[in-house]
Amino acid sequence: MPSSSSPKCLVRGSINIDEFFALPHIVRPGETISSTSLTKRAGGKGANQAYAVAKAGGNVDLDGCIGQDGEWVRELLKSGGVGDGRLETLKNELTGRAIIQSASDGENSIVLHAGANHHLSSSSSSPNLQNYTHILLQNEIPLSSTLSYLEESGKKGLISIFNPSPMLSSEELRQFPWKDLSWLIVNEGELNDLLNAFNSNSSENEKQKNIDDLDLEELIKIASKGILELHENSFFSKKINIICTLGSKGILYFNPINGNKDIGHLKAGKLLNKLKDTTGAGDCFAGYFVAGLMRNEPLEKVLKTCLTACAICVENEGAMGSVPNIEATLARLE
Ligand code: ADP
Ligand code: NA
């Protein structure tokens, strides 16, 4: 990676069309009910995170597949500033679908169809990462493809960021090429899953407590211990920086590369409006984080910008639609 090249991020990941059916209750087996509304939104963690990188001012391309039914998603991504040169439209596949039943009592139930997200293009096993300085990955496409991209980014010396959502199996986590990873972004539940996968013979895996039931100090203590355990684990790599998001309780960050084994905590951004919808907050965080890394700002500045963006995100409805642009975020930060 020539140091003169200007920062550019590739997001390799999923693109979905999310269809929300508003219902009095979740449909029971054999039952037919009418929805009171149908809302259609672009989604998928790859698309959400790429969109957030662009909103945060980063130069970003999204690498993934849609069907011909997803051209409007391509247009939406482009209008948000995401480069679509690596976005392939397949003739014989549908765009990934999430069918979401959203009941009036707050219950949710989701059917996922991977569709075009499961397509492996011929270049998928030897991706071209020339011209990119950063790569951002999740786990909503075939793992083999994610691994090819990560391994290639390791060879090329890119800065890589991985958000293991949905979580990988224990076996996959133990085989994962951790040595190629620069930054891991997990939430508290995912941190626990990782530890459990690496400590398969351990009986001490405490049943995970709901983070809302823990006071802040207790939560920081437990999660910090988890981060250090992960760092020391032989399956893992000591070079990896770790961010653990804690919902309304903010984040923990661990940046051992400078020989510093301290774990920092930052509070969530202050809400100026009512909490509305936390969907996509994690994706907003990941996208803003990578854009901040690309600007080469001090870590705390990057993180505070992320937390402010997330506060605006949860005050607004939707995933992509609630990600603020960098101007709005900086205006609130000051
Ligand atoms: P994920 O959706 O991946 O589990 P989190 O729920 O941890 O991610 O949310 C990511 C970030 O969004 C948090 O670190 C926080 O900054 C912000 N956030 C999430 N929920 C809230 C909330 N209820 N109040 C304020 N900020 C929140
Ligand atoms: Na939101």
Side-chain angles (χ1 to χ4, degrees):
M1 180 179 70
S3 57
S4 61
S5 62
S6 57
K8 184 163 190 183
C9 178
L10 184 67
V11 179
R12 165 74 178 117
S14 59
I15 303 101
N16 285 336
I17 296 173
D18 295 343
E19 294 180 326
F20 296 82
F21 293 81
L23 300 166
H25 61 257
I26 304 294
V27 180
R28 289 185 273 265
E31 187 185 27
T32 301
I33 48 177
S34 293
S35 68
T36 51
S37 77
L38 170 56
T39 312
K40 206 173 186 172
R41 295 198 192 113
K45 295 190 79 68
N48 287 348
Q49 294 187 9
Y51 192 82
V53 174
K55 283 291 202 177
N59 189 358
V60 60
D61 289 343
L62 176 58
D63 182 320
C65 297
I66 54 176
Q68 288 173 317
D69 57 338
E71 281 305 319
W72 65 273
V73 180
R74 177 194 294 276
E75 292 309 315
L76 181 74
L77 288 163
K78 270 165 68 179
S79 72
V82 177
D84 72 330
R86 299 279 289 252
L87 194 54
E88 197 181 337
T89 301
L90 306 176
K91 291 224 157 59
N92 300 314
E93 274 286 7
L94 291 172
T95 304
R97 273 288 186 298
I99 305 292
I100 301 142
Q101 295 185 41
S102 180
S104 42
D105 60 3
E107 286 287 340
N108 263 330
S109 124
I110 304 175
V111 179
L112 258 184
H113 178 68
N117 290 319
H118 261 204
H119 178 77
L120 289 174
S121 54
S122 50
S123 63
S124 202
S125 57
S126 55
N128 177 2
L129 299 184
Q130 224 152 17
N131 303 323
Y132 296 103
T133 56
H134 294 68
I135 185 158
L136 174 55
L137 301 161
Q138 316 78 25
N139 188 35
E140 287 187 339
I141 59 167
L143 184 60
S144 64
S145 183
T146 301
L147 297 185
S148 300
Y149 279 66
L150 181 59
E151 282 163 349
E152 182 63 17
S153 82
K155 279 187 208 142
K156 288 243 156 38
L158 272 68
I159 294 173
S160 53
I161 303 93
F162 179 48
N163 174 212
S165 177
M167 187 43 67
L168 292 70
S169 73
S170 298
E171 193 50 35
E172 289 165 347
L173 288 171
R174 285 188 230 122
Q175 304 286 335
F176 196 84
W178 295 108
K179 65 171 176 41
D180 292 317
L181 185 64
S182 320
W183 289 89
L184 176 73
I185 303 180
V186 288
N187 62 24
E188 234 265 315
E190 290 157 357
L191 174 63
N192 262 290
D193 292 340
L194 279 162
L195 288 169
N196 288 338
F198 291 160
N199 301 323
S200 56
N201 56 352
S202 148
S203 56
E204 72 193 294
N205 298 333
E206 307 162 36
K207 196 173 169 303
Q208 199 198 329
K209 295 190 196 107
N210 189 335
I211 68 172
D212 296 326
D213 298 340
L214 294 169
D215 69 39
L216 182 60
E217 251 170 68
E218 207 180 346
L219 177 62
I220 291 177
K221 217 174 92 191
I222 292 175
S224 298
K225 183 166 159 265
I227 288 173
L228 287 175
E229 264 179 50
L230 192 58
H231 175 71
E232 299 289 340
N233 195 283
S234 55
F235 285 108
F236 205 63
S237 156
K238 290 209 162 54
K239 289 188 308 184
I240 302 172
N241 301 286
I242 302 169
I243 304 218
C244 180
T245 66
L246 306 170
S248 65
K249 299 202 163 83
I251 56 155
L252 291 177
Y253 62 100
F254 179 59
N255 182 214
I257 269 116
N258 310 322
N260 180 357
K261 292 255 174 102
D262 294 341
I263 295 176
H265 171 254
L266 290 172
K267 282 193 269 189
K270 195 159 161 263
L271 300 195
L272 300 185
N273 299 289
K274 243 180 54 203
L275 180 76
K276 191 151 190 192
D277 180 10
T278 58
T279 316
D283 293 338
C284 176
F285 186 94
Y288 256 82
F289 179 69
V290 176
L293 288 183
M294 289 163 77
R295 281 193 296 272
N296 215 5
E297 288 169 347
L299 183 57
E300 267 207 31
K301 167 110 195 276
V302 172
L303 295 170
K304 283 181 176 163
T305 309
C306 292
L307 292 165
T308 303
C310 286
I312 300 174
C313 178
V314 301
E315 289 170 358
N316 293 284
E317 181 128 347
M320 273 186 217
S322 65
V323 177
N325 62 27
I326 187 71
E327 291 79 13
T329 302
L330 292 178
R332 188 180 289 202
L333 189 62
E334 279 142 18

